[in-house]
Amino acid sequence: MKFNYKLHRLCGASYGTPAATGSGVLSSSSKGSNIVFTSDGNSLLSPVGNRIQVLDLLHHSCRTLPFEARSNIRRIALCPHDDRILIVIDVNNYALMVNFHRGVVLHRFKFKKPVREIKFCPDGSKFAVSAGKHVQVWLTPGVRREF
């Protein structure tokens, strides 16, 4: 018997899913989740509940990344420089920093205020998060350890 299986397809709305109830009061423009294209434009990342589905537009296939968030995903952002870092934020403001190619969670953290948007700078060295009334700018971790 083979017990080593991978999840390939998910049931549910692929994008634009409404935010979970009880996650705080937000304006109607911030409800739902976003979709992201990879830098080469060949793949589409779409949140489905608390998982992320990657749709390969060239080969007409889809796969599900092997991690899951604590609750429904509100925002995702992919580093435009090399598609290495993926940041996932759920409706309860818990964030995951993920190595996109390997599907490994690098770090987990929580924002104190509701996150409305997250964007990487064009070179991928920093990312900005709008949490509450403030904008936080963070440095993106590199491949090598830097102290």
Side-chain angles (χ1 to χ4, degrees), residues 5 10 18 26-27 29-30 41 43 46 59 64 77 84-87 96 99-103 105-106 108 113 137 142:
Y5 66 93
L10 292 174
L26 294 173
S27 66
S29 64
S30 64
S43 297
S46 173
H59 300 103
T64 303
R84 184 178 303 269
I85 302 292
L86 173 68
I87 298 177
L96 300 171
N99 183 330
F100 174 64
H101 296 296
R102 296 184 183 231
V105 176
L106 302 173
R108 297 176 190 266
K113 303 282 184 171
V137 179

Side-chain angles (χ1 to χ4, degrees), residues 15-121:
Y15 51 87
T17 57
T21 58
S23 62
V25 178
L26 294 173
S27 66
S28 62
S29 64
S30 64
K31 294 209 182 210
S33 54
N34 60 330
I35 59 173
V36 175
F37 285 94
T38 56
S39 61
D40 59 1
N42 294 336
S43 297
L44 175 73
L45 280 72
S46 173
V48 179
N50 66 344
R51 309 286 301 253
I52 293 182
Q53 195 168 26
V54 180
L55 303 166
D56 188 357
L57 302 175
L58 290 180
H59 300 103
H60 304 292
S61 64
C62 74
R63 67 182 174 103
T64 303
L65 295 179
F67 63 89
E68 60 185 39
R70 293 181 181 217
S71 57
N72 287 345
I73 295 172
R74 179 182 294 156
R75 293 284 174 239
I76 60 174
L78 185 63
C79 182
H81 177 63
D82 57 357
D83 293 340
R84 184 178 303 269
I85 302 292
L86 173 68
I87 298 177
V88 178
I89 301 174
D90 65 8
V91 294
N92 295 326
N93 302 317
Y94 285 97
L96 300 171
M97 185 174 289
V98 179
N99 183 330
F100 174 64
H101 296 296
R102 296 184 183 231
V104 177
V105 176
L106 302 173
H107 189 64
R108 297 176 190 266
F109 50 98
K110 181 175 173 31
F111 291 99
K112 294 179 182 176
K113 303 282 184 171
V115 175
R116 296 178 190 257
E117 193 62 46
I118 180 168
K119 292 286 182 187
F120 277 92
C121 70

